[in-house]
Amino acid sequence: MTISPIRVQFKTVCELLDVSRESLRHKIRTDKTFPKPIKEGDSKQSPVYFDYADLIAWHNNQKANHSAEMEA
């Protein structure tokens, strides 16, 4: 049985997508389909997480859209 994480840290998302922190921030600001970050707490230093299932769904949608564009 494989256990997938429920949430992943900002740093881990950068590693998974192989992008810099600034590139991920840009994607969050500009891509309306990208999963919204979840901030745990109200302070500026509170950790930010992403829902793992939402990230996977977004990635699969990106792959499907890319494949459809390549076929057209």
Side-chain angles (χ1 to χ4, degrees):
M1 181 169 113
T2 303
I3 298 175
S4 296
I6 295 172
R7 64 183 188 180
V8 289
Q9 295 178 352
F10 197 95
K11 175 184 171 185
T12 305
V13 175
C14 290
E15 292 170 359
L16 289 170
L17 297 177
D18 195 23
V19 296
S20 67
R21 293 181 70 83
E22 189 54 40
S23 293
L24 181 55
R25 286 187 193 103
H26 183 264
K27 184 162 291 299
I28 293 166
R29 285 191 309 266
T30 60
D31 186 346
K32 300 298 180 196
T33 64
F34 194 78
K36 299 296 178 215
I38 303 163
K39 186 158 185 158
E40 191 166 296
D42 294 329
S43 75
K44 191 173 183 177
Q45 291 85 13
S46 296
V48 175
Y49 297 97
F50 291 86
D51 183 270
Y52 184 75
D54 288 348
L55 287 169
I56 297 300
W58 174 83
H59 176 70
N60 289 336
N61 188 35
Q62 294 292 307
K63 286 192 325 186
N65 288 343
H66 182 69
S67 295
E69 290 173 3
M70 296 301 284
E71 292 174 0

